[in-house]
Amino acid sequence: MKTRKNMKIYFDNAATTQIDSEVADSMTNVINNIYGNPSSIHSFGRKSRVLIDEARNKIAECLNVNPTEIYFTSCGTEAIATAINGCILQKDIKHIITSPIEHHAVLHTIKSLEKKNLVEVSYVKLDDKGIIDLDDLKEILRTKVRSMVILMHANNEIGNLLPMKQVGDLCSDYNAFFLSDTVQTMGKYKNNLQDINIHFATCSAHKLHGPKGIGFLYINDDTSIEPLILGGGQERNLRAGTENIYGIVGLAKAFEVAYRDMEKNQEFIQGLKSYMLAELKKNIPDIKFNGESEEDGLYTVLNASFPLNSKTEMLLYNLDIAGIAASGGSACNSGVVSISHVLKEIGANNTRIPIRFSFSKYNTKKEVDFCVEQILNLIN
Ligand code: PLP
């Protein structure tokens, strides 16, 4: 098929997404008209307070939780750090169970606690696709002291999905705290948190066509933790600092839009992923795919692995020159020619070139055609 030259294609939606125009409009309206400090008791402040309350209610309704269980933060990383540090300090937990393929926001936070001898860490076994061994998790839970289990819902590099309900039930059986980093799945699935035995979940608005600089931590109402940031009494004393009202309004709008259009977008994006997968397989016999299974996993992420040779060596950069943005690993690693910690853990080595293509509702089949065409031009 013939495709247009000079296309600019964004296939890096796991790193961040384009803001939705409905979200941008909702924020612009607030930026231009509302500026009271939500903690002020006068009418200006009360106007801002109402917006925050409405946003919290909307998000809580989507997740089927209580509004009191949503705490706004500046990003996913802060939500993760708050949950881990706060739970360890408040609950006197001495043992963490996690996996080696978590996001660095999790792994580095845990490492710093381990360095200070505040916790011991067990890493659950994975198979060669990066799937968590639930029997091993059960065995660790059975033999260790009360633990905090930290396992991500969807892996940002390879898209593996965790059976959250099963893991939550296991944690409940052994009285463990459960944090799932849901940054990659919020707004992509109807995460009904009421149905899951979970204490903490995370969100970052810029992953679901919302603004950067805002996210939240879900904390089950039965769980209390120490704050990470001290100061004023905002967010019911859990997160001090004047609220980012524009961001909060944008985040709630992003949720509203995502939930309204979820089925349609899910089907469309899964279609793009399956189509690209089939086209790559058809045209490149020795291509492989990283992650739990080619068709399964997070529907926005396709992690392909090309055999290393003089043509594929610079593939990511050459795609960029051709107008296609993808990633060699996670965003923090793109630009650095090294295998990410996630891919290393599932046995990747320097004999193949991994490229993550991650899709959104703004991509098209035509873009997939153009991308495959460019890949074939570059490697043949
Ligand atoms: N967790 C996962 C799985 C992510 O993909 C990211 C972002 O890449 C984060 C956490 C961190 O989120 P933020 O960039 O909002 O701090």
Side-chain angles (χ1 to χ4, degrees):
M1 114 164 288
K2 264 251 157 298
T3 39
R4 202 157 43 87
K5 285 259 176 300
N6 304 323
M7 268 179 134
K8 273 284 192 191
I9 297 174
Y10 187 72
F11 279 167
D12 199 13
N13 290 281
T16 196
T17 55
Q18 181 186 336
I19 200 160
D20 187 290
S21 60
E22 287 185 65
V23 172
D25 288 348
S26 72
M27 293 174 70
T28 309
N29 183 36
V30 180
I31 290 168
N32 288 329
N33 298 301
I34 301 192
Y35 53 86
N37 187 320
S39 297
S40 302
I41 53 166
H42 48 62
S43 63
F44 291 81
R46 289 201 306 274
K47 260 191 171 173
S48 295
R49 170 63 49 210
V50 166
L51 288 179
I52 295 175
D53 290 346
E54 284 174 357
R56 205 187 306 277
N57 290 342
K58 195 180 285 175
I59 293 166
E61 196 185 319
C62 289
L63 298 172
N64 194 20
V65 300
N66 297 322
T68 49
E69 297 180 304
I70 302 295
Y71 296 84
F72 292 112
T73 61
S74 65
C75 59
T77 302
E78 187 195 320
I80 289 166
T82 304
I84 300 178
N85 285 290
C87 184
I88 297 301
L89 284 177
Q90 172 93 7
K91 305 294 179 196
D92 202 24
I93 297 289
K94 301 275 184 252
H95 184 241
I96 288 178
I97 306 173
T98 190
S99 89
I101 59 170
E102 299 299 301
H103 191 272
H104 278 147
V106 165
L107 294 176
H108 291 175
T109 302
I110 294 176
K111 272 263 173 287
S112 92
L113 291 168
E114 195 182 21
K115 250 188 172 163
K116 292 175 199 151
N117 291 322
L118 290 170
V119 289
E120 186 203 333
V121 185
S122 299
Y123 294 90
V124 72
K125 280 187 203 147
L126 309 171
D127 72 5
D128 61 352
K129 295 276 186 194
I131 297 172
I132 306 284
D133 182 337
L134 293 182
D135 291 333
D136 187 49
L137 173 61
K138 188 173 176 175
E139 190 53 21
I140 304 173
L141 279 165
R142 195 181 66 76
T143 50
K144 294 282 185 180
V145 290
R146 192 178 188 197
S147 304
M148 181 178 192
V149 173
I150 307 172
L151 292 170
M152 68 207 307
H153 188 196
N155 186 281
N156 49 304
E157 289 192 43
I158 52 178
N160 285 10
L161 283 169
L162 184 79
M164 275 226 284
K165 175 131 184 62
Q166 237 177 307
V167 172
D169 288 346
L170 262 180
C171 291
S172 168
D173 290 348
Y174 292 93
N175 197 23
F177 287 95
F178 178 31
L179 157 64
S180 190
D181 175 5
T182 45
V183 161
Q184 286 291 341
T185 57
M186 283 284 181
K188 303 210 180 87
Y189 299 96
K190 289 199 165 139
N191 285 336
N192 183 350
L193 296 180
Q194 201 62 248
D195 275 358
I196 302 170
N197 284 311
I198 189 166
H199 299 83
F200 310 100
T202 54
C203 176
S204 183
H206 71 97
K207 307 284 187 185
L208 61 137
H209 304 289
K212 291 171 180 59
I214 187 75
F216 67 80
L217 172 63
Y218 159 83
I219 308 180
N220 181 299
D221 261 344
D222 299 333
T223 312
S224 63
I225 62 169
E226 288 280 318
L228 182 70
I229 298 174
L230 299 164
Q234 291 90 350
E235 295 301 295
R236 295 177 309 291
N237 289 316
L238 189 83
R239 203 279 184 179
T242 301
E243 296 90 335
N244 171 0
I245 48 170
Y246 323 120
I248 290 171
V249 166
L251 169 56
K253 192 58 160 184
F255 256 78
E256 184 187 316
V257 173
Y259 272 68
R260 185 190 67 203
D261 300 338
M262 195 174 290
E263 276 88 22
K264 183 181 74 179
N265 288 338
Q266 193 164 342
E267 194 185 331
F268 172 69
I269 300 168
Q270 177 69 60
L272 291 181
K273 172 177 168 174
S274 302
Y275 178 61
M276 181 148 182
L277 178 73
E279 287 297 297
L280 288 174
K281 264 183 154 176
K282 187 170 79 188
N283 291 291
I284 310 170
D286 46 6
I287 197 164
K288 288 189 176 156
F289 296 92
N290 296 309
E292 62 178 330
S293 121
E294 295 165 6
E295 284 288 351
D296 295 341
L298 182 60
Y299 60 88
T300 50
V301 169
L302 180 64
N303 195 313
S305 164
F306 298 83
L308 175 69
N309 56 46
S310 58
K311 299 243 174 85
T312 57
E313 200 175 24
M314 299 293 283
L315 186 54
L316 190 62
Y317 301 95
N318 289 332
L319 281 174
D320 186 27
I321 291 165
I324 300 158
S327 163
S330 58
C332 349
N333 295 330
S334 51
V336 180
V337 188
S338 67
I339 304 273
S340 74
H341 70 287
V342 173
L343 296 175
K344 265 189 204 145
E345 283 296 332
I346 58 167
N349 57 38
N350 291 330
T351 61
R352 298 188 77 88
I353 295 287
I355 298 191
R356 178 188 69 183
F357 302 96
S358 48
F359 311 102
S360 83
K361 60 182 178 179
Y362 294 125
N363 293 125
T364 63
K365 186 164 169 279
K366 216 172 171 181
E367 290 181 329
V368 172
D369 284 328
F370 181 74
C371 181
V372 173
E373 187 184 294
Q374 292 304 309
I375 292 172
L376 296 178
N377 285 344
L378 289 165
I379 67 172
N380 289 319

